[in-house]
Amino acid sequence: MKRKNITAITLAAVLALAGLTGCGSQNQETSESSSSDKVEITNVSYDPTRELYEQYNQIFAKHWKEESGQEVEITQSHGGSGKQALEVANGLEADVVTLALEYDVKAVQDAGLIEEGWVDEFPDDSSPYTSTIVFLVRKGNPKDIKDWDDLVKDGVGVITPNPKTSGGARWNYLAAWAYADKLYDGDEAQIKDFMKKLYENVLVLDSGARGATTSFVENGQGDVLIAWENEAYLSVQDYPDDYEIVTPSISILAQPSVAVVDSVVDERGTRDVATEYLNYLYSDEAQRIAGDNYYRPSNQDILKEYADVFDLDINLVTIQDFGGWDEAQETHFADGGVFDQIYEE
């Protein structure tokens, strides 16, 4: 089935279709707006988006009710991004996925559930908000952690999730690699040795980013948490007297990706509401909810409203510096890749 282009099909057209009556039972069965007073969709997401989507779901439900006259109930599912992608590929029913990186959405595509071209369906490569990777340390920074090279020193306990299951962990790994790459002028042997020392200092490899935050913040493990920027800010917000954020000299532009799960929405008749659910993430109201939850809005004008929160001048590499996600996954995170090599050593 050919994908519907959101730029070609407006919400007004959807509503016009929903408003038609007396057009036969077939139209009633294919339009969720006319067939039911309530629709349910599931958003399968990754660990640190819980608070973001709890707030967003409320404004979207109001928006959808006003525009379509229909109530919508959104079920949230959270976990390590790679694990979540695998769950969807193996049958976990999701109308939409909002995962930590493009590669995880592609894994769902490769399972035959999402059509090609999804990355172009929504603006900014279907990435309505971005983030980056920072350090969360204990108040006063007792280990004097300032940059990535401090994380390989003896006696520094590091907390980061497992790159095999967590999207955030893969961003963490690549940001550290980018620092070592610059430090050693591309000498791969020295870069690998740096990464090996870093992971020798890792005390716990949790399956997801939220689990790693729990290990550091609630369980008191380690001296530094390598974290999504939004996770770090939420921890400081909740425990302002206990933690502070350190921004490294080099980090990475982390682009979480969103997509409609075509096979599911076509079977359930939820394409219209699922598409609008992701489309409305780009509205001004939703962009500010993203900013309030310490994600960087993709709308650059709204991002500037948070200039007092985010370091907008941070030196960020991108996934393209690693050849894109297919190449990065194959080189670093596939079975037998660089991560397996250094971690097994």
Side-chain angles (χ1 to χ4, degrees):
M1 178 179 292
K2 182 178 289 186
R3 172 185 299 279
K4 295 180 181 178
N5 190 318
I6 63 170
T7 60
I9 297 181
T10 64
L11 185 58
V14 173
L15 299 180
L17 177 62
L20 291 175
T21 58
C23 294
S25 61
Q26 184 175 3
N27 280 351
Q28 292 176 352
E29 291 172 358
T30 57
S31 171
E32 73 260 21
S33 293
S34 61
S35 63
S36 174
D37 293 332
K38 184 177 181 179
V39 63
E40 299 178 3
I41 61 173
T42 297
N43 173 14
V44 173
S45 194
Y46 64 105
D47 263 335
T49 60
R50 302 167 196 266
E51 295 80 8
L52 167 62
Y53 281 108
E54 284 173 2
Q55 294 181 38
Y56 174 69
N57 290 346
Q58 294 180 33
I59 69 161
F60 177 75
K62 180 180 178 183
H63 164 72
W64 185 252
K65 177 70 172 178
E66 291 173 349
E67 296 297 324
S68 71
Q70 184 182 48
E71 293 184 1
V72 58
E73 180 178 327
I74 302 106
T75 299
Q76 296 177 218
S77 172
H78 299 273
S81 185
K83 184 174 182 292
Q84 290 287 82
L86 182 62
E87 293 283 352
V88 175
N90 287 336
L92 175 63
E93 194 169 79
D95 299 87
V96 300
V97 289
T98 57
L99 298 174
L101 43 89
E102 181 181 325
Y103 185 84
D104 288 338
V105 179
K106 188 175 182 298
V108 182
Q109 175 192 321
D110 291 343
L113 304 180
I114 297 176
E115 297 171 9
E116 291 184 13
W118 65 267
V119 75
D120 298 317
E121 186 174 2
F122 300 98
D124 302 305
D125 298 326
S126 291
S127 181
Y129 43 79
T130 66
S131 190
T132 188
I133 302 304
V134 298
F135 305 150
L136 185 68
V137 300
R138 306 196 185 281
K139 196 72 172 181
N141 196 4
K143 291 295 179 80
D144 196 29
I145 293 168
K146 297 177 181 177
D147 215 336
W148 292 100
D149 55 348
D150 294 313
L151 274 56
V152 301
K153 293 178 178 177
D154 292 340
V156 175
V158 177
I159 302 296
T160 183
N162 188 341
K164 306 291 279 190
T165 56
S166 166
R170 277 170 274 176
W171 291 118
N172 295 353
Y173 172 102
L174 293 175
W177 184 282
Y179 174 87
D181 183 46
K182 182 178 180 181
L183 180 65
Y184 297 115
D185 196 26
D187 186 318
E188 188 163 317
Q190 292 189 79
I191 299 170
K192 287 182 177 179
D193 187 58
F194 179 93
M195 298 299 291
K196 180 174 178 289
K197 290 178 180 177
L198 172 60
Y199 280 91
E200 284 176 346
N201 280 352
V202 174
L203 304 180
V204 181
L205 273 182
D206 290 288
S207 62
R210 183 54 59 87
T213 301
T214 299
S215 292
F216 184 73
V217 173
E218 297 184 18
N219 298 342
Q221 296 175 287
D223 302 297
V224 56
L225 171 69
I226 309 176
W228 288 96
E229 184 177 50
N230 60 289
E231 277 286 273
Y233 272 109
L234 287 175
S235 297
V236 171
Q237 175 182 283
D238 292 342
Y239 304 97
D241 297 328
D242 298 327
Y243 302 99
E244 59 188 75
I245 294 171
V246 174
T247 301
S249 62
I250 293 177
S251 194
I252 192 166
L253 177 65
Q255 293 179 289
S257 297
V258 303
V260 173
V261 183
D262 296 291
S263 65
V264 173
V265 299
D266 287 340
E267 181 179 346
R268 300 184 65 228
T270 54
R271 179 177 288 279
D272 294 332
V273 62
T275 300
E276 183 61 10
Y277 181 78
L278 298 184
N279 188 49
Y280 199 65
L281 284 167
Y282 294 86
S283 68
D284 289 355
E285 184 179 19
Q287 289 284 289
R288 290 190 174 94
I289 285 180
D292 290 344
N293 282 274
Y294 305 108
Y295 284 93
R296 298 183 177 219
S298 62
N299 183 316
Q300 294 301 301
D301 291 333
I302 293 179
L303 175 61
K304 291 175 184 176
E305 296 176 13
Y306 294 86
D308 60 335
V309 177
F310 302 121
D311 178 0
L312 301 184
D313 297 320
I314 186 173
N315 181 15
L316 298 177
V317 299
T318 74
I319 191 60
Q320 298 310 317
D321 293 306
F322 295 88
W325 267 113
D326 284 343
E327 184 173 332
Q329 178 72 22
E330 181 65 25
T331 300
H332 295 280
F333 308 119
D335 290 345
V338 175
F339 174 74
D340 282 352
Q341 296 167 25
I342 64 172
Y343 197 66
E344 288 172 1
E345 290 175 5

